[in-house]
Amino acid sequence: MQISRDILTRSYRAMRTIRDFEERLHVEFATGEIPGFVHLYCGEEASGVGVCAHLSDTDTIASTHRGHGHCIAKGVAVDGMMAEIYGRQTGVCRGKGGSMHIADLSLGMLGANGIVGGGPPLICGAALSHKLLKDNGVAVAFYGDGASNEGSTLESLNLATVWQLPAVFVVEDNGYGEATGASYACAGTQKDRAAGFGMPYFECDGTDFFAVYETAGEAIAHARSGKGPAMLHVHLSRWYGHFEGDAMTYRAEGEVARERAEHDCLVNFRKHVTEISLLEASALDDIDAAVKSEIDAAVAAAKVAPLPEEADLMRDVYVSY
Amino acid sequence: MSRKSFRQAINEALRQEMRRDPRVILMGEDVAGGRGGTSGVKDAWGGVLGVTKGLLTEFGEDRVLDTPITEASYIGAAAGAAATGLRPVAELMFVDFIGCCLDQIMNQAAKFRYMFGGKARTPLVIRAMYGAGFNAAAQHSQALYPLFTHIPGLKVVVPSSPYEAKGLLIEAIRDDDPVIFLENKVMYDDEEDVPDEPYTIPFGEANLTREGDDVTIVAFGRMVNLANQAADRLEKDGISCTVIDPRTTSPLDTGTILDCVADTGRLVIVDESSPRCNLATDVAALVAEEAFDALKAPIRRVVPPHTPVPFATVLENLYMPSVEKIEAAVRSVAAYRVKEEA
């Protein structure tokens, strides 16, 4: 599959931004300055970016607890996200949502979600909007192997097929629903589940951007063509715990280190594009430097940004009279 | 103006709003009624009690969507569609089925506006039937409006008559927040004069169905009708009542309630929902906190016992608030005299 230099550059930048954003959050969270729960996407960057590379602002996604990567891949501004995670008034949700609820509906980002299995039903509705408003949009639900067992997800696979919706169900399978292995918790296979609903199934290695990009392209093209929904099963590795502070005592020693050493999507990307001269190493270095500055600036700005005010507590419950 | 049943008033509100705004769509179990059936009859049902009948024929299958019996996915789909440009009216059928899809209402639709910093609108209406009196037993008879009232971000409407139902439903469909619209199934055949043209009734403004000097009665939904019947009887004995229909439990018109209690000094609250943490307790707490000095008698609540709704008619009648129970409660507060201090 031919990929333009522009897409390659933007995709690398998005992956690098997610990686640096998250690695920085890992460090900053340990200082105790960040309130609440933080769930890191590190190691899974190629999935969100490879899928969202096929989407525009008129397409919709719904995300998960582990939503920072999807937000960045969909174009949400990093400074607003960082301020949100720090609970500041300048945050993208004005400090009302926090890490698990970052959303920007103007970009078709329907929100990270604090409820496992919360997104797939919403995406059925977004897909229905695209279908009835005839805007050629597709709606994508990202959800984990854990959420794949929720009734809401299985109902959504059924509804999307019954209504022939332009929806793509992306199972980001990192092998763990919190601390419980998918090998234990997921009966049967995702492939058979898709088949059970009469839905085309696609599968790829989520640590390989090019594999994700190509396979996601096929799944999204299917949905966009009006032939109904598709499932994309992405195999991934989660580099940090379920949440920050999780010591991952349920994982074998060396498992994560091995994944990092052998299946780093950024390293793989760099190797691939430089070997066949799609992009130059210097261009990638420039992106790395620019992203580093951007993250530094976002953290610095978030730390000094104003906190929400007392009046914000009651604002936006609903429109009052 | 013509005589319309509660069912017809709701159907007319839906029809007029669907004509006015192409973004208004309906979805629910059997709202089209007949999709996939073998008779070949389209629009066979219009929902289980026929409220949406005829709308499929006028608006077609893109705008009147039958769903599988999968509340989590289609109520969630309604929330997602509302957040992305449509104005869905989803029918949950019996409100008792909320257990299957509460997450999508409580954690998703209700919270979008607040949680996303005011940047999301969710113009969603969820219609559902509530109430006992139909021998429908414990899983088809609950009056769960307190459950929704408890959740910030939801607007909750409990109409008390056909006129109220039409105006409040049109208001609900035009509202940019998620609205739970609860229809008492015992009332579907109640009739009164209802304007033929569209009209709206604002949320958060109580209706005084009668005004009196002695006792204030706050009643919700179908209970408004019972409260007025009780007030008619009491009038003959010289006890005059104010009857307040709050219309919406969220937002709640607390000002009107407090003003009326200040005038009468006596309060009876009639609430069909189970008694713990219901609207009656909420209003009682409000008045105890804000209008204690005005009270000349203890507040009385006319509510069911704290049990599931029973099936047998004799038990269901015992369970429900009634005109007689309301009348007795009003008499007791009217007769109450503060004991002289020793």
Side-chain angles (χ1 to χ4, degrees):
Chain A
M1 179 181 267
Q2 288 288 324
I3 310 180
S4 72
R5 184 182 174 89
D6 180 48
I7 288 175
L8 284 174
T9 305
R10 278 194 286 128
S11 296
Y12 180 76
R13 180 167 183 136
M15 289 198 293
R16 173 56 69 194
T17 304
I18 297 169
R19 175 70 55 86
D20 282 16
F21 188 91
E22 298 255 294
E23 298 276 24
R24 185 63 180 268
L25 273 185
H26 178 68
V27 172
E28 297 291 335
F29 189 81
T31 69
E33 264 191 88
I34 295 174
F37 297 128
V38 167
H39 306 76
L40 298 184
Y41 192 66
C42 242
E44 308 186 12
E45 297 87 346
S47 175
V49 173
V51 170
C52 291
H54 298 280
L55 305 178
S56 73
D57 290 354
T58 52
D59 299 309
T60 314
I61 68 168
S63 175
T64 68
H65 279 60
R66 210 169 298 293
H68 307 147
H70 302 134
C71 286
I72 292 170
K74 199 69 171 66
V76 181
V78 167
D79 52 353
M81 288 178 58
M82 193 64 83
E84 186 60 35
I85 291 165
Y86 271 87
R88 305 289 163 155
Q89 198 180 42
T90 52
V92 66
C93 301
R94 296 181 186 150
K96 297 289 236 345
S99 166
M100 280 189 286
H101 305 297
I102 295 175
D104 189 338
L105 274 74
S106 67
L107 300 171
M109 169 57 198
L110 201 47
N113 210 308
I115 304 296
V116 174
L122 298 174
I123 257 2
C124 286
L128 182 66
S129 288
H130 293 307
K131 183 177 175 177
L132 297 190
L133 298 172
K134 299 181 169 54
D135 61 9
N136 197 36
V138 297
V140 177
F142 289 99
Y143 59 99
D145 45 280
S148 76
N149 301 326
E150 288 277 2
S152 57
T153 302
L154 296 163
E155 287 189 18
S156 299
L157 297 175
N158 183 66
L159 186 67
T161 306
V162 167
W163 282 354
Q164 287 289 287
L165 295 174
V168 179
F169 295 90
V170 179
V171 193
E172 293 192 318
D173 187 346
N174 60 30
Y176 291 94
E178 297 196 3
T180 300
S183 59
Y184 166 82
C186 295
T189 66
Q190 302 293 342
K191 183 179 184 179
D192 287 345
R193 292 182 187 191
F197 292 104
M199 188 180 294
Y201 171 84
F202 301 86
E203 185 175 21
C204 63
D205 172 4
T207 64
D208 176 353
F209 169 80
F210 296 92
V212 176
Y213 181 83
E214 183 168 344
T215 318
E218 292 172 32
I220 291 167
H222 174 88
R224 213 185 284 283
S225 72
K227 293 177 190 158
M231 182 189 288
L232 173 62
H233 185 187
V234 185
H235 298 278
L236 288 163
S237 170
R238 192 181 84 199
W239 286 6
Y240 290 104
H242 170 60
F243 48 77
E244 280 306 88
D246 170 9
M248 289 197 284
T249 46
Y250 48 88
R251 296 185 76 165
E253 206 167 323
E255 181 178 279
V256 171
R258 196 166 54 249
E259 290 291 335
R260 281 185 183 246
E262 295 170 14
H263 299 290
D264 181 334
C265 60
L266 280 160
V267 170
N268 290 347
F269 183 98
R270 179 179 277 266
K271 189 159 176 282
H272 183 76
V273 295
T274 51
E275 271 177 10
I276 58 173
S277 302
L278 288 170
L279 291 178
E280 312 76 36
S282 61
L284 300 171
D285 292 341
D286 289 347
I287 292 171
D288 290 350
V291 167
K292 184 175 184 311
S293 302
E294 188 183 19
I295 302 297
D296 285 345
V299 172
K303 286 183 173 182
V304 299
L307 296 167
E309 293 165 6
E310 191 172 340
D312 293 323
L313 177 65
M314 295 299 292
R315 188 170 295 144
D316 297 322
V317 174
Y318 46 51
V319 178
S320 36
Y321 296 88
Chain B
M1 188 83 81
S2 57
R3 219 161 162 75
K4 296 182 181 85
S5 69
F6 193 73
R7 177 188 285 105
Q8 287 169 324
I10 292 164
N11 183 285
E12 188 167 273
L14 293 170
R15 184 184 304 274
Q16 289 178 343
E17 285 306 286
M18 292 182 79
R19 284 178 184 164
R20 187 186 64 82
D21 185 345
R23 294 171 302 169
V24 177
I25 61 167
L26 306 185
M27 62 174 78
E29 293 155 12
D30 305 314
V31 293
R35 293 294 303 271
T38 53
S39 74
V41 176
K42 276 194 170 187
D43 215 349
W45 264 25
V48 67
L49 293 186
V51 176
T52 56
K53 187 154 177 60
L55 299 176
L56 172 72
T57 301
E58 177 166 353
F59 299 103
E61 290 169 358
D62 270 358
R63 295 184 65 197
V64 181
L65 294 109
D66 264 348
T67 65
I69 304 175
T70 56
E71 289 81 3
S73 66
Y74 82 79
I75 294 292
T84 53
L86 296 175
R87 303 185 78 86
V89 180
E91 183 176 304
L92 181 57
M93 202 183 296
F94 295 91
V95 73
D96 313 73
F97 305 163
I98 185 66
C100 298
C101 60
L102 188 56
D103 172 65
Q104 291 294 327
I105 299 172
M106 173 176 75
N107 283 318
Q108 311 298 337
K111 295 190 167 67
F112 287 167
R113 183 184 284 280
Y114 191 84
M115 192 165 73
F116 299 158
K119 296 176 188 169
R121 300 181 321 154
T122 313
L124 163 66
V125 180
I126 296 174
R127 292 180 42 245
M129 288 182 272
Y130 80 93
F134 221 70
N135 297 106
Q139 294 174 347
H140 287 68
S141 300
Q142 295 167 89
L144 294 176
Y145 41 85
L147 181 74
F148 301 109
T149 308
H150 185 70
I151 298 167
L154 298 177
K155 292 175 178 172
V156 185
V157 186
V158 192
S160 60
S161 76
Y163 173 85
E164 295 284 316
K166 181 176 173 183
L168 289 165
L169 182 53
I170 292 178
E171 178 79 5
I173 293 169
R174 295 180 187 178
D175 195 289
D176 278 343
D177 286 300
V179 179
I180 310 295
F181 190 90
L182 294 167
E183 301 162 15
N184 192 303
K185 54 187 164 293
V186 178
M187 292 170 62
Y188 277 130
D189 292 322
D190 289 1
E191 289 188 353
E192 70 178 336
D193 284 340
V194 177
D196 299 324
E197 64 276 8
Y199 60 92
T200 59
I201 297 172
F203 292 166
E205 289 185 20
N207 183 30
L208 298 188
T209 62
R210 64 197 294 146
E211 295 187 54
D213 301 324
D214 300 319
V215 178
T216 297
I217 306 175
V218 177
F220 296 90
R222 190 169 80 89
M223 297 298 110
V224 174
N225 185 12
L226 302 191
N228 278 312
Q229 289 178 46
D232 283 343
R233 293 190 191 177
L234 290 156
E235 190 81 51
K236 291 170 189 151
D237 289 342
I239 300 171
S240 78
C241 297
T242 292
V243 176
I244 303 177
D245 171 9
R247 292 172 164 153
T248 55
T249 64
S250 189
L252 181 68
D253 183 354
T254 55
T256 296
I257 294 169
L258 293 171
D259 286 349
C260 292
V261 172
D263 288 343
T264 61
R266 294 182 168 85
L267 175 63
V268 170
I269 312 159
V270 191
D271 184 349
E272 171 177 354
S273 63
S274 58
R276 300 295 314 282
C277 303
N278 68 355
L279 264 296
T281 61
D282 188 54
V283 170
L286 168 80
V287 170
E289 194 163 16
E290 301 288 336
F292 186 76
D293 287 348
L295 288 173
K296 300 173 194 164
I299 300 165
R300 285 288 304 272
R301 299 178 295 140
V302 182
V303 291
H306 199 59
T307 72
V309 182
F311 166 67
T313 305
V314 59
L315 293 179
E316 193 179 40
N317 288 343
L318 284 170
Y319 172 92
M320 288 285 282
S322 63
V323 174
E324 291 73 25
K325 289 174 191 169
I326 298 166
E327 190 183 339
V330 171
R331 285 186 193 282
S332 78
V333 299
Y336 186 88
R337 294 288 177 271
V338 179
K339 285 180 184 138
E340 295 291 329
E341 284 187 34

